[in-house]
Amino acid sequence: AILVRADSPLRRTADLRGRSIAVAQGSSAHYQLVASLAKAGLSPKDVRLSLLQPADALAAFSRGKVDAWAVWDPYTSQALRKAGARTLTTGQGVVNGLSFQIAAPAALADRKKSAAVRDYVERLRRAQDWVHRHPEDWAGVWAKDTGLPYEVALDAVRRSAGTRVPVAVDDAAVAAEQKIVDTFARLGLIPRAYRFADYVDRRFNGSLPPSTTAPRTYGKVS
């Protein structure tokens, strides 16, 4: 999401023109910001970027040092509940919302290790199903392990962590990620463009649904 303070006069993405925005360089939030600006007819040159990691960005946002903050959960939930923030816009319709499991090429080429990867992926899928069915239990574990307030962790589970759906790494996923690669290369955030497809292993897709499958939902989260 792109967040502003509750008392901010900013009401739509186009209002960000000339404003200062905190974002972690090269992050998924960075791409969402660029894509959201483009949808509103703006470019990164039309705003003032403060390239800050989440901890520093939260401090700057809370103290009014920046006008907006592009970030992801659980920081989104933390700012909404603890820092007087409201959502200006979300990534809905502008980013794919995907995350990936990463393995070394040598492990993927090894029969025993690739079998272990397959076992891990299956366990992860079952765990995600469990998280969706037990949001309060998972929020308690997450809060204990990270130091997040329980209510923030629960908000984040209901807003994002618990809504995840295991999906296939398919052509649509590759195309969506390639768009991010090309955008980051054009902006100089990475040294050059490359083919995302060269880094994809589809052996573990199995019967997973398409990458465009809608996320789960718990209904409206405040």
Side-chain angles (χ1 to χ4, degrees):
I2 299 176
L3 306 176
V4 295
R5 289 182 299 281
D7 60 355
S8 172
L10 307 180
R11 295 292 169 183
R12 56 197 182 100
T13 308
D15 295 337
L16 291 171
R17 184 186 295 273
R19 301 288 185 158
S20 57
I21 308 169
V23 66
Q25 182 171 338
S27 64
S28 58
H30 199 159
Y31 179 75
Q32 185 215 331
L33 174 59
V34 172
S36 296
L37 290 173
K39 188 176 179 180
L42 303 176
S43 78
K45 294 181 180 179
D46 294 314
V47 299
R48 291 179 287 122
L49 296 184
S50 292
L51 301 176
L52 300 171
Q53 291 300 311
D56 293 329
L58 175 60
F61 181 82
S62 300
R63 295 170 185 166
K65 300 296 185 183
V66 293
D67 297 305
W69 182 17
V71 72
W72 59 91
D73 253 334
Y75 305 105
T76 301
S77 294
Q78 183 178 18
L80 289 171
R81 185 173 281 272
K82 300 291 187 179
R86 64 174 167 82
T87 300
L88 182 72
T89 186
T90 71
Q92 187 73 33
V94 294
V95 294
N96 61 36
L98 299 175
S99 59
F100 296 86
Q101 300 303 309
I102 309 300
L108 294 171
D110 182 280
R111 183 177 60 83
K112 291 184 178 180
K113 289 182 178 179
S114 65
V117 170
R118 183 178 299 279
D119 177 69
Y120 163 73
V121 170
E122 291 296 335
R123 290 172 186 268
L124 188 63
R125 292 169 185 167
R126 294 199 300 272
Q128 189 59 55
D129 289 340
W130 183 90
V131 169
H132 178 71
R133 296 193 304 269
H134 303 87
E136 293 87 0
D137 292 331
W138 177 237
V141 173
W142 195 10
K144 182 179 179 180
D145 284 354
T146 63
L148 283 171
Y150 171 77
E151 63 272 19
V152 170
L154 184 57
D155 284 351
V157 171
R158 289 175 171 165
R159 179 173 284 110
S160 57
T163 70
R164 295 171 183 155
V165 178
V167 296
V169 185
D170 55 17
D171 289 346
V174 170
E177 290 299 306
Q178 187 63 52
K179 188 174 181 180
I180 298 174
V181 170
D182 295 340
T183 298
F184 277 11
R186 174 172 54 81
L187 295 175
L189 294 172
I190 55 177
R192 60 175 179 82
Y194 60 90
R195 290 183 73 250
F196 186 81
D198 292 344
Y199 299 88
V200 169
D201 190 324
R202 306 194 190 205
R203 285 179 293 168
F204 308 99
N205 282 346
S207 60
L208 287 174
S211 63
T212 53
T213 300
R216 294 161 168 149
T217 179
Y218 294 100
K220 183 176 176 58
V221 180
S222 61

